[in-house]
Amino acid sequence: MTSSLHDPDALFELGQALQHAGYRFVTITPASHRRVNGREGNARAVDLRGVFGWSRPFTEDTVPGEMLALMRRAGVLRERNGHLCATVRASTIGERLYFHSAFPTREDDAVFFGPDTYRYVAALKRSMEAIAPPRRAVDIGTGSGAGAIEVACRFPDCESVGADINGFALSLAAVNARLAGAANVPTLHSDLLKDLDGGFDLVLSNPPYILDPSELRYRHGGGMHGAALSVDIVEAALERLRPGGTLLLYTGVAIIDGRDAFLDTIRPRLDAGCPGWRYEELDPDIFGGQLDCEGYEDVERIAAVWLHATRAS
């Protein structure tokens, strides 16, 4: 199934209406989301957070008429079992609002947003305090556009490209950039950096890192228990970074017998071209339920890691 956005202007206006209404929602893990929605009294939405945050079915009188009309224009409203459902969610990080895919995310072109996004943005903000203002940046696999938008808002003179192979993600990221007031975020189709020209002062990414038997694009990171895509991003970034340019990468790695194969793989390249690079575990144990899945029989934990590497001048 392919997702589509019929009218980006209508979705933008819907986002503005939600912001004006003081809407706030923090998106949690899918497992926690299911638990909360499964509680008594949570089967149907009774307010905007239930509709746009918890992705619960609702009736027409739950949403103001003007919002419902905007949902219809945007193509983000469908009917299921006699109730209405939003096909997008809206999450907030601080004052910014981000549209992404509704729960549950089953489609191959789903735009995922969750706890990883919050950790990614928090680490990005800390690292941006220590780098020179970039002239050109790119967020590989931008998804909702959160990374590219944060860079654009922090460095308004920087062209902050949101790159993705997912057309639906690019549509939502463009709307999210407008909602953030970031006019310097072009959203462009690209497989890694293959379809983009020129060099970059800053490359950032929060890629998929799960070994997914279904190979859904928003989850599957390929071989090495899902780390292969992150390795490819490191390689692509170091080839296209300008001298003195920086790579900021948030990803998840499978730890086996205390060993981080992702770090072992990228270390020689970093040592050769990036003096003083830094690598840290932001969280030693994420998505623990994944350890029960096929392909993780030898994995003891999945760690969220952050790489900050600056190419030699």
Side-chain angles (χ1 to χ4, degrees):
M1 179 178 178
T2 300
S3 304
S4 62
L5 185 59
H6 297 169
D7 186 345
D9 290 336
L11 189 64
F12 171 66
E13 291 177 38
L14 177 62
Q16 287 185 311
L18 288 171
Q19 289 173 322
H20 182 73
Y23 176 91
R24 294 285 188 279
F25 189 83
V26 174
T27 294
I28 53 181
T29 65
S32 294
H33 194 120
R34 289 188 187 92
R35 291 187 184 100
V36 174
N37 271 359
R39 293 173 181 167
E40 186 176 354
N42 287 348
R44 299 287 181 265
V46 297
D47 57 16
L48 293 177
R49 294 179 80 250
V51 172
F52 294 105
W54 294 111
S55 295
R56 295 169 186 162
F58 64 97
T59 56
E60 284 199 13
D61 58 359
T62 309
V63 175
E66 60 273 19
M67 286 192 185
L68 203 63
L70 289 169
M71 292 175 73
R72 288 197 172 99
R73 275 179 51 201
V76 296
L77 182 69
R78 65 183 175 90
E79 185 172 344
R80 183 177 66 191
N81 299 327
H83 284 78
L84 299 173
C85 297
T87 62
V88 293
R89 268 187 289 181
S91 296
T92 51
I93 302 180
E95 297 301 313
R96 306 200 210 290
L97 184 144
Y98 294 96
F99 284 113
H100 54 104
S101 292
F103 177 88
T105 47
R106 296 193 180 104
E107 292 80 12
D108 187 46
D109 63 350
V111 181
F112 192 77
F113 188 108
D116 274 332
T117 313
Y118 292 93
R119 285 187 285 257
Y120 176 47
V121 168
L124 178 60
K125 286 181 175 179
R126 291 193 298 270
S127 289
M128 286 194 295
E129 295 297 324
I131 66 173
R135 291 170 294 159
R136 189 176 189 228
V138 59
D139 184 18
I140 298 176
T142 195
S144 67
I149 290 167
E150 288 296 333
V151 170
C153 291
R154 175 67 177 81
F155 302 112
D157 293 329
C158 172
E159 179 192 49
S160 183
V161 178
D164 210 301
I165 58 173
N166 181 348
F168 185 51
L170 294 174
S171 296
L172 293 186
V175 171
N176 293 337
R178 290 176 66 189
L179 287 169
N184 49 332
V185 183
T187 51
L188 304 174
H189 181 279
S190 184
D191 180 0
L192 298 181
L193 299 177
K194 297 173 186 176
D195 304 306
L196 302 177
D197 296 325
F200 298 90
D201 304 296
L202 175 63
V203 176
L204 55 147
S205 187
N206 169 21
Y209 56 77
I210 296 298
L211 177 61
D212 181 20
S214 300
E215 298 191 6
L216 293 172
R217 287 186 295 181
Y218 75 92
R219 281 175 52 85
H220 188 55
M224 294 178 60
H225 293 90
L229 177 57
S230 295
V231 172
D232 290 343
I233 288 171
V234 172
E235 293 287 343
L238 295 184
E239 289 178 4
R240 299 286 291 278
L241 278 174
R242 294 166 176 156
T246 297
L247 165 63
L248 300 174
L249 174 69
Y250 171 94
T251 191
V253 296
I255 305 298
I256 302 172
D257 292 330
R259 178 172 171 260
D260 181 342
F262 170 67
L263 177 58
D264 290 346
T265 302
I266 63 173
R267 186 190 297 275
R269 182 69 188 273
L270 294 173
D271 285 342
C274 302
W277 58 272
R278 303 190 300 278
Y279 184 87
E280 61 177 313
E281 286 194 9
L282 300 180
D283 193 323
D285 181 17
I286 60 172
F287 293 103
Q290 196 68 30
L291 303 187
D292 294 328
C293 298
E294 178 184 349
Y296 284 85
E297 295 82 4
D298 55 348
V299 176
E300 61 191 50
R301 61 189 177 93
I302 301 172
V305 300
W306 181 251
L307 172 64
H308 183 143
T310 300
R311 184 180 170 187
S313 299

